[in-house]
Amino acid sequence: MMTREELIGMLGAPFSDSETDRELFAEAVRVRNRAVGDQVYLRGLIELSNRCRKNCLYCGIRNGNSAAERYTLTDGQVLAAAEYAWRSGYGSVVIQAGERTDGVFVERIERLVRQIKTLSDGELGITLSLGEQERETYRRWFGAGAHRYLLRIEASSPELYARLHPADHRYEKRLECLGWLKEEGYQVGTGVMIGLPYQSVEDLADDLLFFRNLDIDMCGMGPYIEFPGTPLAEAPCAFARDERLRLALRMIALLRLLMPDINIASTTALHALHPQGRELGIAAGANVMMPNLTPAVVRANYKLYDNKPLQDMDLRGFNVALDSGWGDSRHFSVRTAGAPVSALREK
Ligand code: SF4
């Protein structure tokens, strides 16, 4: 098991040292293939709405950004995207949106989850990524059929978290939510941004240890990319963009070595910094990709349906698992072995 010092050493290696990275990534791929196989699971991503009550200092859709053009998909659009995913052979979808906690929203999500389950004969797995909610809300959505939840901590250091968020966004609340999600029976994912202002390689090593201590099932992390006009965008960053990409790949590989049987996403932020960013993530040990199925993309993809929905990714050489169940985290099955069947939901 790697120590904190070893993690810091790997993360802080000179960026000119590409041989060390090559060995690290190759080892991560070997470990992944042994622990969970070499298949890449695809989730159809549905971005339901960019309305958000929060004001995270780095985020382009923060509530205070009056320049953002707001949208919310209709029920029909969400269900059409889910049906497209199902008919195209995706095992699951991710429903993501800015954070809202009002009754209308909570009820709507519950209804949509039930409708997606019905339209897909229970076959589509559903991951939610809808921020901090009341425990009762998580329970209702799980009861409706959602079974995985992504809630990124963004920075596991409370001090760094406080520099990235306004004072009323509480680190402790986020931790509490992660605990509730686990207790309610979800497969739980979290993640961080990599290469943030004020962030050190020591912080990143601690992020990795945080994931292990929290015993997460899934992780989605990617390089930090400034959004112009946000309060954080002007803050100086210790790492250039190409260094953030390298650091993100190192983080993926090291997490794979620390937690061999979890699901790790190769995120679109990698793609934003490199045309083959997501492929590089897979080659560093990730095993999940999330093609975007929001309506405009659905339309574009419809005409490419004939085995071309992956047109913007070069997955040659990867064993892509489109139709292979929900692609659940093996770690979840291991950590919940022996739990009452009613508390679990697996396919
Ligand atoms: S909660 Fe999410 S969507 Fe809302 S401002 Fe923060 S990062 Fe952006």
Side-chain angles (χ1 to χ4, degrees):
M1 191 57 71
M2 264 176 297
T3 63
R4 180 173 187 267
E5 284 61 42
E6 286 168 326
L7 292 172
I8 293 168
M10 297 295 283
L11 290 165
F15 290 108
S16 57
D17 186 0
S18 39
E19 187 50 37
T20 304
D21 276 356
R22 251 197 303 277
E23 284 170 19
L24 171 65
F25 301 159
E27 177 60 11
V29 165
R30 273 193 293 276
V31 167
R32 177 198 65 202
N33 293 354
R34 258 201 317 271
V36 295
D38 67 347
Q39 68 277 50
V40 176
Y41 294 111
L42 298 183
R43 313 341 187 162
L45 175 63
I46 303 170
E47 293 165 324
L48 179 106
S49 173
N50 65 354
R51 293 178 197 283
C52 186
R53 68 191 187 115
K54 289 279 193 68
N55 253 317
C56 306
L57 303 181
Y58 46 83
C59 180
I61 60 169
R62 61 200 301 271
N63 190 275
N65 181 7
S66 54
E69 246 181 71
R70 304 289 168 177
Y71 77 88
T72 300
L73 299 184
T74 64
D75 285 4
Q77 287 173 311
V78 174
L79 296 175
E83 183 161 3
Y84 169 79
W86 179 53
R87 294 197 185 283
S88 306
Y90 286 77
S92 66
V93 290
V94 180
I95 300 178
Q96 191 167 56
E99 191 173 296
R100 273 181 61 183
T101 55
D102 55 281
V104 172
F105 182 78
V106 170
E107 225 173 282
R108 182 175 182 224
I109 296 297
E110 187 177 15
R111 191 178 62 244
L112 283 169
V113 168
R114 285 192 200 286
Q115 287 173 322
I116 291 171
K117 282 290 173 188
T118 302
L119 73 81
S120 67
D121 290 336
E123 287 184 7
L124 267 186
I126 302 176
T127 305
L128 299 178
S129 182
L130 302 169
E132 295 169 10
Q133 302 288 339
E134 292 306 318
R135 182 171 189 153
E136 179 57 23
T137 301
Y138 291 141
R139 185 174 298 161
R140 280 172 64 178
W141 292 345
F142 188 83
H147 78 295
R148 295 191 289 238
Y149 204 102
L150 299 169
L151 182 64
R152 284 167 55 143
I153 190 81
E154 303 298 4
S156 70
S157 147
E159 295 76 33
L160 182 53
Y161 188 93
R163 299 185 84 163
L164 307 178
H165 298 93
D168 62 347
H169 293 26
R170 287 180 45 246
Y171 178 83
E172 295 73 22
K173 172 70 181 168
R174 195 147 276 240
L175 278 188
E176 183 175 44
C177 285
L178 285 165
W180 285 342
L181 286 162
K182 224 174 187 184
E183 288 165 15
E184 292 301 326
Y186 285 91
Q187 296 178 37
V188 178
T190 190
V192 292
M193 287 180 285
I194 297 160
L196 284 158
Y198 322 118
Q199 190 181 44
S200 63
V201 289
E202 286 79 5
D203 289 324
L204 291 169
D206 289 337
D207 287 339
L208 293 169
L209 297 172
F210 171 87
F211 298 147
R212 196 181 63 192
N213 293 340
L214 203 64
D215 204 17
I216 58 170
D217 304 304
M218 317 178 287
C219 186
M221 55 185 172
Y224 166 67
I225 303 170
E226 299 90 339
F227 192 95
T230 54
L232 200 70
E234 300 311 317
C237 227
F239 304 101
R241 285 188 165 200
D242 57 331
E243 295 175 344
R244 291 179 223 168
L245 176 74
R246 287 279 288 284
L247 266 181
L249 296 174
R250 288 176 186 177
M251 286 287 283
I252 288 173
L254 290 168
L255 181 59
R256 178 59 71 195
L257 300 185
L258 279 180
M259 304 188 76
D261 60 355
I262 66 169
N263 280 346
I264 303 178
S266 190
T267 57
T268 43
L270 292 167
H271 183 69
L273 291 190
H274 189 287
Q276 269 86 46
R278 282 175 297 197
E279 292 82 347
L280 292 173
I282 299 296
N287 68 331
V288 171
M289 285 200 189
M290 300 195 287
N292 197 327
L293 300 186
T294 45
V297 181
V298 169
R299 280 198 297 279
N301 277 353
Y302 261 108
K303 68 177 185 225
L304 300 172
Y305 169 57
D306 203 3
N307 209 22
K308 292 182 190 166
L310 309 178
Q311 188 212 26
D312 67 337
M313 301 179 197
D314 185 2
L315 290 172
R316 283 169 298 184
F318 295 113
N319 176 11
V320 176
L322 248 184
D323 186 9
S324 63
W326 294 347
D328 282 337
S329 159
R330 184 160 304 173
H331 186 78
F332 176 77
S333 324
V334 173
R335 83 167 165 83
T336 53
V341 175
S342 61
L344 309 178
R345 181 173 295 136
E346 283 186 85
K347 186 183 176 198

